[in-house]
Amino acid sequence: MRNRYEALLVLNTQAREDTVKEIIDRLESEFQQEGAQIEQVQKMDKRQFSYVAGRLSAGYYVNFVFNADPQLIAKLRSKFKLDPEVYLQNYQRLPEKKEEPTKRVAKAK
């Protein structure tokens, strides 16, 4: 059974600002190689962190909306944990996309 998920990834683009598009394209292809069906990719620009807890003070935020099997999330999480360009990652299950009902036109009496 495939569910709908959202993955928020914070990329480490320190000293590599010009390669952001290539990094996002590579990550998108890795999602697809693992069997995820990408629905939407939102590039949300570089943002400063509200507090510095690690070695970075800012990161490039990217949001992926995709359909995948539930066991794929653990596989993606462990795969991207080893990727030096992915600084943080967060996954959330989304509600199923509902088909919009057709609107009825009121008949004139």
Side-chain angles (χ1 to χ4, degrees):
M1 179 178 172
R2 297 176 74 83
N3 295 323
R4 194 164 172 248
Y5 293 97
E6 176 181 62
L8 177 67
L9 303 179
V10 179
L11 306 179
N12 175 6
T13 59
Q14 202 170 34
R16 293 186 307 268
E17 300 295 327
D18 55 337
T19 63
V20 170
K21 183 175 177 4
E22 289 84 20
I23 295 171
I24 293 171
D25 290 341
R26 180 181 60 82
L27 292 174
E28 186 175 353
S29 69
E30 287 187 27
F31 272 101
Q32 291 171 340
Q33 286 174 0
E34 295 296 334
Q37 187 177 21
I38 301 287
E39 189 176 303
Q40 183 179 18
V41 179
Q42 298 171 329
K43 300 166 187 163
M44 299 173 7
D45 290 331
K46 186 173 183 175
R47 298 182 185 178
Q48 293 291 323
F49 298 146
S50 51
Y51 62 92
V52 179
R55 63 188 190 278
L56 291 179
S57 61
Y60 193 93
Y61 286 71
V62 183
N63 197 32
F64 292 91
V65 178
F66 61 98
N67 293 303
D69 294 325
Q71 63 270 20
L72 184 66
I73 300 301
K75 192 173 184 182
L76 289 171
R77 195 180 300 264
S78 62
K79 182 175 189 169
F80 291 142
K81 189 173 186 176
L82 299 173
D83 193 329
E85 292 170 333
V86 177
Y87 183 64
L88 294 171
Q89 55 183 325
N90 185 39
Y91 298 89
Q92 179 178 347
R93 184 173 173 197
L94 297 174
E96 292 300 316
K97 202 173 196 179
K98 294 182 180 176
E99 296 294 323
E100 292 186 21
T102 56
K103 294 183 180 180
R104 295 183 184 174
V105 178
K107 293 182 181 179
K109 292 184 181 181

